[in-house]
Amino acid sequence: MYNQIIKNLADQLSIKDLTKIKNTSLHLGVFSEPYLTYMLDDIKTIESRFSKNKILPYNQISKDDIVIVKKSSGNVVAYFTIKDVLFFNLNETPIEEIKNKYNKQLCVDESFWISKNNSNYATLIVIDEVIKLNPFHIDKKGMQTWIKLK
């Protein structure tokens, strides 16, 4: 999957930008609507991942890593650099505290918070500039919504 992504990026990016991506920790994130559109339109400035267990990307991503953006059941459409990342153990930090502080930047509604109520961990990813790409297909199998590529 990594080589497939790099090959497609090579057709669209400058050598400088491609080299930066190759020399950085790279992740693939799967994004669903309407959150994907909010992110592409620079309305959503923080991406969140909530989970019961310590799974990717929890504690496995860093500032300046690059995230390849794939539409759920669709193509790769963009990428962004991580401006900052925050990890929360929800047994120590109440989810309500995260909601009160970050709800606007997350662009989520009340049903989102209800669906995350049983989570134990949260990762908040502050999005730097989103670079839109000419969409391209990759062969991704499985249900994972976050994969560490490199």
Side-chain angles (χ1 to χ4, degrees):
M1 194 174 352
Y2 174 81
N3 290 334
Q4 194 177 20
I5 290 169
I6 294 299
K7 180 183 176 300
N8 279 282
L9 292 177
D11 295 337
Q12 298 188 44
L13 302 177
S14 69
I15 291 172
K16 178 185 170 196
D17 289 341
L18 185 63
T19 301
K20 179 184 174 195
I21 288 172
K22 286 180 175 180
N23 292 329
T24 305
S25 289
L26 192 63
H27 307 265
L28 175 74
V30 177
F31 298 81
S32 59
E33 293 294 355
Y35 311 112
L36 174 63
T37 297
Y38 295 157
M39 184 175 62
L40 294 174
D41 290 345
D42 296 322
I43 298 165
K44 178 181 178 68
T45 57
I46 298 179
E47 170 61 14
S48 66
R49 299 293 163 131
F50 288 80
S51 61
K52 282 188 181 287
N53 301 309
K54 293 179 182 177
I55 60 169
L56 278 168
Y58 187 81
N59 274 343
Q60 297 188 51
I61 60 172
S62 305
K63 179 184 184 303
D64 298 326
D65 285 3
I66 292 175
V67 178
I68 303 294
V69 176
K70 182 186 177 303
K71 181 176 182 172
S72 181
S73 300
N75 291 327
V76 169
V77 296
Y79 71 91
F80 65 85
T81 302
I82 297 174
K83 187 187 285 186
D84 197 10
V85 62
L86 305 164
F87 303 106
F88 297 95
N89 179 330
L90 300 177
N91 298 311
E92 298 166 4
T93 304
I95 197 168
E96 198 68 26
E97 190 176 308
I98 296 169
K99 176 183 174 183
N100 292 339
K101 190 167 184 180
Y102 299 105
N103 194 64
K104 184 173 188 261
Q105 299 97 315
L106 289 165
C107 295
V108 294
D109 58 18
E110 192 58 35
S111 65
F112 172 86
W113 294 109
I114 292 168
S115 74
K116 302 305 179 190
N117 218 24
N118 291 327
S119 299
N120 293 318
Y121 302 96
T123 303
L124 298 188
I125 303 160
V126 181
I127 300 166
D128 206 348
E129 178 187 13
V130 175
I131 308 297
K132 295 176 187 169
L133 299 166
N134 295 323
F136 61 88
H137 173 79
I138 58 167
D139 296 321
K140 180 194 169 294
K141 305 281 190 258
M143 299 296 292
Q144 316 101 298
T145 59
W146 199 275
I147 299 170
K148 187 165 187 169
L149 298 168
K150 180 183 143 293

